Amino acid sequence: MVRIINYNERESEDGSTFFALTIQGGVELLQSKSTGNFYATAKKASISSTFDKETCEALIGTEMPGKIVKKECEPYSYTIKETGEIIELSHRYEYEPETPSKKDDISESTIDDFVSSEAIKEENHPLIAG
């Protein structure tokens, strides 16, 4: 499981803004290479959303099935906020759903498949018939 812990406003390549959700995986115990001591940590990742600010705020604390996995990528420079040190990384963390959707699982149905044409006529509508 992952939990939504925050959100950030971002700008897309075309200049429009959107909100990205920050998600965090469960607690992991890792062993330091230099001291041999264990420490607790949790992987974080960011996922784009179509939500507005209010929805993002309401979603904080929500859990979703899946995990955060380490993925190799092209090397890039990263600045460690606490020290200002610039390092080169060749991985990033991504959200991986518990059971990813397959193209075959996506329905091609439309609302018209579920609502008869008689039901959508104005004279049959309970709020606007009159």
Side-chain angles (χ1 to χ4, degrees):
M1 290 294 259
V2 298
R3 182 185 307 260
I4 298 170
I5 61 167
N6 204 355
Y7 67 93
N8 300 96
E9 187 171 353
R10 302 250 174 98
E11 188 173 312
S12 65
E13 291 177 5
D14 67 4
S16 61
T17 59
F18 66 96
F19 290 95
L21 300 172
T22 304
I23 57 175
Q24 180 175 293
V27 174
E28 299 179 40
L29 292 175
L30 299 179
Q31 190 171 20
S32 169
K33 290 179 183 176
S34 59
T35 67
N37 294 331
F38 284 89
Y39 61 96
T41 188
K43 294 177 185 166
K44 291 182 185 177
S46 180
I47 55 174
S48 301
S49 81
T50 59
F51 303 128
D52 60 17
K53 181 179 180 178
E54 292 75 21
T55 303
C56 291
E57 287 174 356
L59 287 172
I60 293 175
T62 301
E63 289 189 341
M64 302 183 309
K67 58 186 175 182
I68 298 173
V69 295
K70 186 177 182 177
K71 297 276 185 157
E72 296 301 315
C73 66
E74 292 295 318
Y76 63 96
S77 296
Y78 176 79
T79 304
I80 300 172
K81 293 177 188 174
E82 295 79 16
T83 64
E85 179 184 3
I86 299 173
I87 59 174
E88 187 171 289
L89 297 175
S90 59
H91 70 275
R92 63 183 185 176
Y93 292 99
E94 294 180 358
Y95 171 67
E96 185 176 279
E98 202 168 83
T99 53
S101 297
K102 297 176 186 159
K103 185 168 175 104
D104 296 340
D105 292 340
I106 299 172
S107 172
E108 296 195 20
S109 300
T110 67
I111 190 69
D112 295 332
D113 295 332
F114 301 98
V115 179
S116 72
S117 60
E118 280 299 307
I120 58 174
K121 289 184 179 176
E122 186 174 316
E123 61 267 15
N124 294 332
H125 195 287
L127 297 176
I128 56 176

